[in-house]
Amino acid sequence: MPELQISPPDPAGSTGKEQQAAGVGILLQIMMLVLSFVLGHVLRRHKFYYLPEASASLLIGLIVGGLANISNTETNIRTWFNFHEEFFFLFLLPPIIFQSGFSLSPKPFFSNFGAIVTFAILGTFIASIVTGVLVYLGGVMFLMYRLPFVECLMFGALISATDPVTVLSIFQELGTDMNLYALVFGESVLNDAMAISLYRTMSSVNSHVSSNKNFFMVIVRFLETFVGSMSSGVGVGFTSALLFKYAGLDIDNLQNLECCLFVLFPYFSYMLAEGLGLSGIVSILFTGIVMKHYSFSNLSENSQQFAAAFFHLISSLAETFVFIYMGFDIAMEQHSWSHVGFIFFSILFIVVARAANVFSCAYLVNLVRPANRQIPLHHQKALWYSGLRGAMAFALALQSVHDLPEGHGQTIFTATTAIVVLTVLLIGGSTGTMLEALQVVGDGHDGPLGEMNQHQILEDQVASVAVGKPSMVDGSKFKHRYLHRHLQPEAGSRLMDGWELETGCN
């Protein structure tokens, strides 16, 4: 009866095991997400700023990954936690960036747009070159593991991508100056595109694909990418605005279609830019800005509530999952801890490079700004301190393992991992203390732009409550935070009277 053995049962059993492993892997991810949200809520409720939500998520991933690493966990389950760069760039990053643009207050962002571009383009370029040169000189002087010069520049490019998610959340919680928030936020979004462009250019130079490129062409290429990405994002945003205004989708039986289209347009913008060889990050950011101020108002009231809640929900999930995902992979990956000197001196060098970035660019910006628009020294120090490294640097470092020889790529990846963990946990945890020491907490009324924005925010909240629309923050908490921290006492008194008159608050 040999013919009966032609179809062995092994493939079916193997498929069943893979499905079971997938279920267990997804279950663990959901459990870690639930734990992160609950722990983050408890920490935020008790105003425990020494362990922000992003740091708590990273720690949870590290702990669970460490436990899985020392246990006899099946290989099939572990594969569900591997950090894939494509999954990060195509699925996790877009909703985070879109929500950033969608919830952005445009006045401080565009009022500081020249400074933001200076920090993001020139500053990132300076930080990359300074880091790369110092790492190369450190290797030549036998202070650390020696890398070729182009590979040092690749490391400088990837490690210059800042990701101040933790810092910005504390900025919002404590109520810092809107101009400072706009500078930190704008730089972090745009310098990601610059860092990716620099890294890819240096990688192509290293592989001798285009060895004739020089640094001037890098800047020209980035400007082309930036302008093209911004144009595509703005174009998609205005296209959606025209569609929602004239297609008549705001009737009851078409609200489902309206919501579906509003969710699809951001991804269309991101994938369009990526397909054209541009920056999806920049494109979806400007799509979010345009759609909030032109498309959102053309939606029906129910669709507006759904869109605002949906993008806030999906970005929160993606952001939390990124840090869990990263922490788990850090614990599970093979690292090269034999070059501790490379890690130590790299941390020192990026601190120096960040200072060269911030203070030189701030000096140039202040040269062309009037006296009342100058970036003060304590804001410059806050900018310097807020240069955390996060998921973008980690994803590029993981890519360098494939792009570089085994020893070199592994050393860069291990150093980047250590830098990400240290900056997120130590700098993120000390951000509240830093803001108080620099006296930037609650100084939103220092400049005319900050005062105008705080009044505008309060007026928007009053108007939303007056017409019965849902407010993004609780009324009593909002009054406490903005009236007592940002507005003058007499202005607060007048606005309080107006608030009570229109809302009936006691």
Side-chain angles (χ1 to χ4, degrees), residues 126-142:
I126 291 173
S128 301
I129 299 301
V130 170
T131 303
V133 170
L134 289 178
V135 169
Y136 179 73
L137 292 177
V140 170
M141 298 170 64
F142 301 103

Side-chain angles (χ1 to χ4, degrees), residues 44-205:
R44 187 170 60 249
R45 185 173 182 178
H46 290 85
K47 301 185 184 299
F48 189 79
Y49 299 125
Y50 297 102
L51 187 65
E53 294 175 69
S55 303
S57 301
L58 183 69
L59 271 179
I60 290 172
L62 283 169
I63 293 171
V64 176
L67 293 175
N69 206 19
I70 63 176
S71 66
N72 294 323
T73 308
E74 290 187 24
T75 305
N76 291 337
I77 296 177
R78 295 188 182 195
T79 57
W80 279 88
F81 291 92
N82 290 338
F83 191 99
H84 300 286
E85 306 94 294
E86 297 84 3
F87 181 65
F88 168 72
F89 283 112
L90 296 180
F91 295 101
L92 295 178
L93 193 59
I96 297 173
I97 301 299
F98 178 79
Q99 174 63 16
S100 299
F102 191 74
S103 61
L104 179 69
S105 181
K107 291 181 181 178
F109 180 79
F110 287 107
S111 297
N112 294 280
F113 191 71
I116 289 171
V117 171
T118 303
F119 282 110
I121 298 179
L122 179 61
T124 304
F125 182 78
I126 291 173
S128 301
I129 299 301
V130 170
T131 303
V133 170
L134 289 178
V135 169
Y136 179 73
L137 292 177
V140 170
M141 298 170 64
F142 301 103
L143 296 175
M144 55 196 295
Y145 184 75
R146 184 171 181 177
L147 294 174
F149 183 64
V150 176
E151 294 182 10
C152 291
L153 293 179
M154 290 176 65
F155 175 65
L158 69 89
I159 206 65
S160 64
T162 60
D163 185 18
V165 172
T166 302
V167 173
L168 291 178
S169 65
I170 298 176
F171 275 21
Q172 287 181 320
E173 191 72 21
L174 295 179
T176 56
D177 182 68
M178 294 292 290
N179 294 307
L180 176 60
Y181 182 91
L183 286 174
V184 174
F185 164 77
E187 183 208 0
S188 67
V189 174
L190 299 185
N191 80 352
D192 285 348
M194 181 66 176
I196 292 172
S197 178
L198 280 172
Y199 175 84
R200 289 175 178 172
T201 302
M202 297 304 172
S203 179
S204 64
V205 170

Side-chain angles (χ1 to χ4, degrees), residues 11-23 74 76-77:
S14 176
T15 303
K17 281 190 174 182
E18 289 179 359
Q19 291 178 352
Q20 184 181 9
E74 290 187 24
N76 291 337
I77 296 177

Side-chain angles (χ1 to χ4, degrees), residues 87-403:
F87 181 65
F88 168 72
F89 283 112
L90 296 180
F91 295 101
L92 295 178
L93 193 59
I96 297 173
I97 301 299
F98 178 79
Q99 174 63 16
S100 299
F102 191 74
S103 61
L104 179 69
S105 181
K107 291 181 181 178
F109 180 79
F110 287 107
S111 297
N112 294 280
F113 191 71
I116 289 171
V117 171
T118 303
F119 282 110
I121 298 179
L122 179 61
T124 304
F125 182 78
I126 291 173
S128 301
I129 299 301
V130 170
T131 303
V133 170
L134 289 178
V135 169
Y136 179 73
L137 292 177
V140 170
M141 298 170 64
F142 301 103
L143 296 175
M144 55 196 295
Y145 184 75
R146 184 171 181 177
L147 294 174
F149 183 64
V150 176
E151 294 182 10
C152 291
L153 293 179
M154 290 176 65
F155 175 65
L158 69 89
I159 206 65
S160 64
T162 60
D163 185 18
V165 172
T166 302
V167 173
L168 291 178
S169 65
I170 298 176
F171 275 21
Q172 287 181 320
E173 191 72 21
L174 295 179
T176 56
D177 182 68
M178 294 292 290
N179 294 307
L180 176 60
Y181 182 91
L183 286 174
V184 174
F185 164 77
E187 183 208 0
S188 67
V189 174
L190 299 185
N191 80 352
D192 285 348
M194 181 66 176
I196 292 172
S197 178
L198 280 172
Y199 175 84
R200 289 175 178 172
T201 302
M202 297 304 172
S203 179
S204 64
V205 170
N206 188 60
S207 60
H208 307 289
V209 173
S210 55
S211 57
N212 59 343
K213 283 191 175 181
N214 53 38
F215 292 133
F216 175 75
M217 292 305 297
V218 172
I219 298 298
V220 171
R221 170 61 182 159
F222 174 77
L223 291 175
E224 291 176 351
T225 302
F226 179 79
V227 174
S229 304
M230 183 175 65
S231 301
S232 66
V234 171
V236 171
F238 278 118
T239 301
S240 69
L242 292 173
L243 174 67
F244 290 120
K245 184 175 180 62
Y246 294 109
L249 301 176
D250 56 344
I251 56 179
D252 292 338
N253 59 346
L254 290 180
Q255 284 181 4
N256 186 46
L257 173 61
E258 189 180 38
C259 294
C260 290
L261 292 175
F262 196 86
V263 170
L264 289 175
F265 267 106
Y267 262 104
F268 176 79
S269 170
Y270 188 89
M271 298 305 171
L272 174 65
E274 290 293 323
L276 295 176
L278 303 174
S279 171
I281 296 173
V282 176
S283 179
I284 199 171
L285 172 70
F286 282 93
T287 300
I289 295 173
V290 172
M291 289 185 69
K292 174 60 182 293
H293 295 280
Y294 294 98
S295 305
F296 188 73
S297 58
N298 292 319
L299 299 178
S300 62
E301 185 176 349
N302 290 336
S303 297
Q304 287 182 355
Q305 295 176 8
F306 168 81
F310 175 80
F311 285 113
H312 181 72
L313 168 68
I314 200 71
S315 66
S316 297
L317 283 171
E319 199 171 274
T320 304
F321 186 71
V322 162
F323 281 95
I324 294 174
Y325 194 35
M326 188 167 55
F328 195 95
D329 196 73
I330 287 172
M332 297 292 291
E333 285 284 342
Q334 296 294 325
H335 297 284
S336 176
W337 297 109
S338 57
H339 304 294
V340 180
F342 187 90
I343 299 172
F344 175 76
F345 284 103
S346 294
I347 294 173
L348 293 181
F349 293 156
I350 66 169
V351 170
V352 174
R354 179 68 182 169
N357 167 2
V358 171
F359 295 112
S360 61
C361 290
Y363 175 77
L364 294 176
V365 171
N366 286 340
L367 285 178
V368 297
R369 279 191 168 189
N372 63 334
R373 295 288 316 283
Q374 300 275 306
I375 302 176
L377 183 60
H378 61 290
H379 282 195
Q380 297 177 34
K381 292 178 180 178
L383 273 168
W384 168 73
Y385 195 85
S386 63
L388 282 75
R389 271 59 176 181
M392 183 64 68
F394 182 80
L396 291 175
L398 195 58
Q399 187 174 330
S400 72
V401 176
H402 309 294
D403 296 339

